Coordinates of all heavy atoms in Angstrom, one line a residue:
I1 N 71.9 -190.3 -50.5 CA 72.6 -189.0 -50.4 C 72.5 -188.2 -51.7 O 72.2 -187.0 -51.7 CB 74.1 -189.2 -50.1 CG1 74.2 -189.8 -48.7 CG2 74.9 -187.9 -50.2 CD1 75.6 -190.2 -48.3
L2 N 72.7 -188.9 -52.9 CA 72.5 -188.3 -54.2 C 71.1 -187.7 -54.4 O 70.9 -186.6 -54.9 CB 72.9 -189.2 -55.3 CG 74.4 -189.6 -55.3 CD1 74.7 -190.7 -56.4 CD2 75.3 -188.4 -55.6
E3 N 70.1 -188.5 -54.0 CA 68.8 -188.1 -54.1 C 68.5 -186.9 -53.3 O 67.8 -185.9 -53.7 CB 67.8 -189.2 -53.8 CG 66.3 -188.9 -54.0 CD 65.4 -190.0 -53.6 OE1 65.9 -191.1 -53.2 OE2 64.2 -189.9 -53.7
A4 N 69.0 -186.9 -52.1 CA 68.8 -185.7 -51.2 C 69.4 -184.5 -51.7 O 68.9 -183.4 -51.7 CB 69.4 -186.0 -49.8
E5 N 70.6 -184.6 -52.3 CA 71.3 -183.5 -52.9 C 70.5 -182.9 -54.1 O 70.5 -181.7 -54.3 CB 72.8 -183.9 -53.3 CG 73.7 -184.1 -52.2 CD 73.9 -182.9 -51.3 OE1 73.9 -181.7 -51.9 OE2 74.0 -183.0 -50.1
D6 N 70.0 -183.8 -54.9 CA 69.2 -183.4 -56.0 C 67.9 -182.7 -55.6 O 67.6 -181.7 -56.2 CB 68.8 -184.7 -56.8 CG 68.0 -184.3 -58.1 OD1 68.6 -183.5 -58.9 OD2 66.9 -184.8 -58.3
V7 N 67.3 -183.1 -54.5 CA 66.1 -182.4 -54.0 C 66.5 -181.0 -53.5 O 65.8 -180.1 -53.8 CB 65.5 -183.2 -52.8 CG1 64.5 -182.4 -52.1 CG2 64.9 -184.5 -53.3
K8 N 67.7 -180.9 -52.9 CA 68.1 -179.6 -52.4 C 68.3 -178.6 -53.6 O 68.0 -177.5 -53.6 CB 69.4 -179.7 -51.6 CG 69.2 -180.3 -50.2 CD 70.6 -180.4 -49.5 CE 70.4 -181.0 -48.1 NZ 71.7 -181.1 -47.4
R9 N 69.0 -179.2 -54.7 CA 69.2 -178.3 -55.8 C 67.9 -177.9 -56.5 O 67.8 -176.7 -56.9 CB 70.1 -179.1 -56.8 CG 71.6 -179.2 -56.5 CD 72.4 -179.7 -57.6 NE 72.1 -181.0 -58.0 CZ 72.7 -182.1 -57.6 NH1 73.6 -182.0 -56.6 NH2 72.3 -183.3 -58.0
R10 N 67.0 -178.8 -56.6 CA 65.7 -178.5 -57.2 C 64.9 -177.4 -56.3 O 64.3 -176.5 -56.9 CB 64.9 -179.7 -57.4 CG 65.3 -180.6 -58.6 CD 64.4 -181.8 -58.8 NE 64.5 -182.7 -57.7 CZ 63.8 -183.8 -57.5 NH1 62.9 -184.1 -58.4 NH2 63.9 -184.6 -56.5
D11 N 65.0 -177.6 -55.0 CA 64.3 -176.7 -54.1 C 65.0 -175.3 -54.2 O 64.3 -174.3 -54.3 CB 64.4 -177.2 -52.7 CG 63.5 -178.3 -52.4 OD1 62.6 -178.6 -53.2 OD2 63.6 -178.9 -51.3
A12 N 66.3 -175.3 -54.3 CA 67.0 -174.0 -54.4 C 66.7 -173.3 -55.7 O 66.4 -172.1 -55.8 CB 68.5 -174.2 -54.3
S13 N 66.6 -174.1 -56.8 CA 66.2 -173.6 -58.1 C 64.8 -173.0 -58.1 O 64.5 -171.9 -58.7 CB 66.4 -174.6 -59.2 OG 66.0 -174.2 -60.4
L14 N 63.9 -173.7 -57.5 CA 62.5 -173.3 -57.4 C 62.4 -172.0 -56.6 O 61.7 -171.1 -57.0 CB 61.6 -174.4 -56.7 CG 60.2 -174.1 -56.6 CD1 59.5 -173.8 -57.9 CD2 59.4 -175.2 -55.8
R15 N 63.1 -171.9 -55.5 CA 63.1 -170.7 -54.6 C 63.6 -169.5 -55.4 O 63.1 -168.4 -55.4 CB 63.9 -170.9 -53.4 CG 63.2 -171.8 -52.3 CD 63.8 -171.6 -51.0 NE 65.2 -172.0 -51.0 CZ 65.6 -173.3 -50.7 NH1 64.8 -174.2 -50.4 NH2 66.9 -173.6 -50.8
A16 N 64.7 -169.7 -56.2 CA 65.3 -168.7 -57.0 C 64.3 -168.2 -58.1 O 64.1 -167.0 -58.3 CB 66.5 -169.1 -57.7
R17 N 63.6 -169.1 -58.7 CA 62.6 -168.8 -59.7 C 61.4 -168.0 -59.1 O 60.9 -167.0 -59.7 CB 62.1 -170.0 -60.5 CG 63.1 -170.6 -61.4 CD 62.5 -171.6 -62.4 NE 61.7 -172.6 -61.8 CZ 62.3 -173.8 -61.5 NH1 63.5 -174.1 -61.7 NH2 61.5 -174.8 -60.9
I18 N 61.0 -168.4 -58.0 CA 59.9 -167.7 -57.3 C 60.3 -166.3 -56.9 O 59.5 -165.4 -57.1 CB 59.4 -168.5 -56.0 CG1 58.7 -169.9 -56.5 CG2 58.4 -167.7 -55.2 CD1 58.4 -170.8 -55.3
K19 N 61.5 -166.2 -56.3 CA 62.0 -164.9 -55.9 C 62.1 -164.0 -57.1 O 61.7 -162.8 -57.1 CB 63.4 -165.1 -55.3 CG 63.9 -163.8 -54.7 CD 65.3 -164.0 -54.0 CE 65.9 -162.7 -53.5 NZ 67.2 -163.0 -52.8
D20 N 62.6 -164.5 -58.3 CA 62.7 -163.7 -59.5 C 61.4 -163.3 -60.0 O 61.2 -162.1 -60.4 CB 63.5 -164.5 -60.5 CG 63.7 -163.7 -61.8 OD1 64.4 -162.6 -61.7 OD2 63.2 -164.1 -62.9
F21 N 60.4 -164.2 -60.0 CA 59.1 -163.9 -60.4 C 58.4 -162.8 -59.6 O 57.8 -161.9 -60.1 CB 58.2 -165.2 -60.4 CG 56.7 -164.9 -60.6 CD1 56.2 -164.7 -61.9 CD2 55.8 -164.8 -59.5 CE1 54.9 -164.4 -62.1 CE2 54.5 -164.6 -59.8 CZ 54.0 -164.4 -61.0
L22 N 58.5 -162.9 -58.2 CA 58.0 -161.9 -57.4 C 58.6 -160.6 -57.6 O 57.9 -159.5 -57.5 CB 58.1 -162.4 -55.9 CG 57.2 -163.6 -55.5 CD1 57.6 -164.0 -54.1 CD2 55.7 -163.3 -55.6
K23 N 59.9 -160.6 -57.7 CA 60.6 -159.3 -57.9 C 60.2 -158.6 -59.2 O 59.9 -157.4 -59.2 CB 62.2 -159.6 -58.0 CG 63.0 -158.3 -58.1 CD 64.5 -158.7 -58.1 CE 65.3 -157.5 -58.1 NZ 66.8 -157.8 -58.1
R24 N 60.0 -159.4 -60.3 CA 59.6 -158.8 -61.6 C 58.1 -158.4 -61.5 O 57.8 -157.3 -62.0 CB 59.8 -159.8 -62.7 CG 61.2 -160.0 -63.1 CD 61.4 -160.9 -64.4 NE 61.2 -162.3 -64.1 CZ 60.2 -163.0 -64.5 NH1 59.2 -162.4 -65.2 NH2 60.0 -164.2 -64.2
A25 N 57.3 -159.2 -60.8 CA 55.9 -158.8 -60.6 C 55.8 -157.5 -59.8 O 55.0 -156.6 -60.2 CB 55.1 -159.9 -60.0
L26 N 56.5 -157.4 -58.7 CA 56.5 -156.2 -57.9 C 57.0 -155.0 -58.6 O 56.4 -153.9 -58.5 CB 57.3 -156.4 -56.6 CG 57.3 -155.3 -55.6 CD1 55.9 -155.1 -55.0 CD2 58.3 -155.6 -54.5
S27 N 58.0 -155.2 -59.5 CA 58.5 -154.0 -60.2 C 57.5 -153.5 -61.2 O 57.6 -152.3 -61.6 CB 59.8 -154.4 -60.9 OG 59.6 -155.3 -62.0
R28 N 56.6 -154.3 -61.6 CA 55.6 -153.8 -62.5 C 54.5 -153.0 -61.8 O 53.8 -152.2 -62.4 CB 54.9 -155.0 -63.3 CG 55.8 -155.7 -64.2 CD 55.2 -156.9 -64.9 NE 56.1 -157.6 -65.8 CZ 56.3 -157.3 -67.0 NH1 55.5 -156.3 -67.6 NH2 57.1 -158.0 -67.8
I29 N 54.3 -153.3 -60.5 CA 53.3 -152.6 -59.7 C 53.8 -151.3 -59.1 O 53.2 -150.3 -59.1 CB 52.7 -153.6 -58.7 CG1 52.2 -154.8 -59.4 CG2 51.7 -152.9 -57.8 CD1 51.8 -155.9 -58.4
V30 N 55.0 -151.4 -58.4 CA 55.5 -150.3 -57.7 C 57.0 -150.2 -57.9 O 57.7 -151.1 -58.2 CB 55.3 -150.5 -56.1 CG1 53.8 -150.5 -55.8 CG2 56.0 -151.7 -55.6
D31 N 57.5 -149.0 -57.7 CA 58.9 -148.7 -57.6 C 59.1 -148.4 -56.1 O 58.2 -148.0 -55.4 CB 59.3 -147.5 -58.4 CG 59.3 -147.8 -59.9 OD1 59.5 -148.9 -60.3 OD2 59.0 -146.8 -60.7
Y32 N 60.3 -148.7 -55.6 CA 60.6 -148.5 -54.2 C 62.0 -148.0 -54.0 O 62.9 -148.4 -54.8 CB 60.3 -149.7 -53.4 CG 61.3 -150.8 -53.6 CD1 62.4 -151.0 -52.7 CD2 61.1 -151.8 -54.6 CE1 63.3 -152.0 -52.9 CE2 62.0 -152.8 -54.8 CZ 63.1 -152.9 -53.9 OH 64.0 -153.9 -54.1
R33 N 62.2 -147.3 -52.9 CA 63.6 -146.9 -52.5 C 63.6 -147.1 -51.0 O 62.8 -146.5 -50.3 CB 63.9 -145.5 -52.9 CG 64.0 -145.2 -54.3 CD 64.6 -143.9 -54.6 NE 63.7 -142.8 -54.3 CZ 63.0 -142.0 -55.1 NH1 63.1 -142.2 -56.4 NH2 62.3 -141.0 -54.7

C-alpha cells in the first residue's frame, strides 16, 4: 500500500512538472485568450 501511494505521488508530481513545462513552453511561442 505504501509503495502504491508513493508511486501515485511521484506520478502526480511528474504530471505537474510536465504540465508546468508545457505551459511555460507554450507561453514562449504564443499568447492566447
Side-chain angles (χ1 to χ4, degrees):
I1 293 173
L2 292 175
E3 184 178 358
E5 290 297 325
D6 184 55
V7 170
K8 287 181 181 179
R9 284 193 296 269
R10 284 182 296 176
D11 286 348
S13 176
L14 178 60
R15 286 195 298 270
R17 290 199 299 270
I18 293 173
K19 183 178 180 180
D20 181 63
F21 170 78
L22 291 174
K23 184 177 180 180
R24 286 187 286 109
L26 183 63
S27 68
R28 292 177 181 273
I29 302 171
V30 298
D31 290 328
Y32 71 93
R33 295 192 291 252

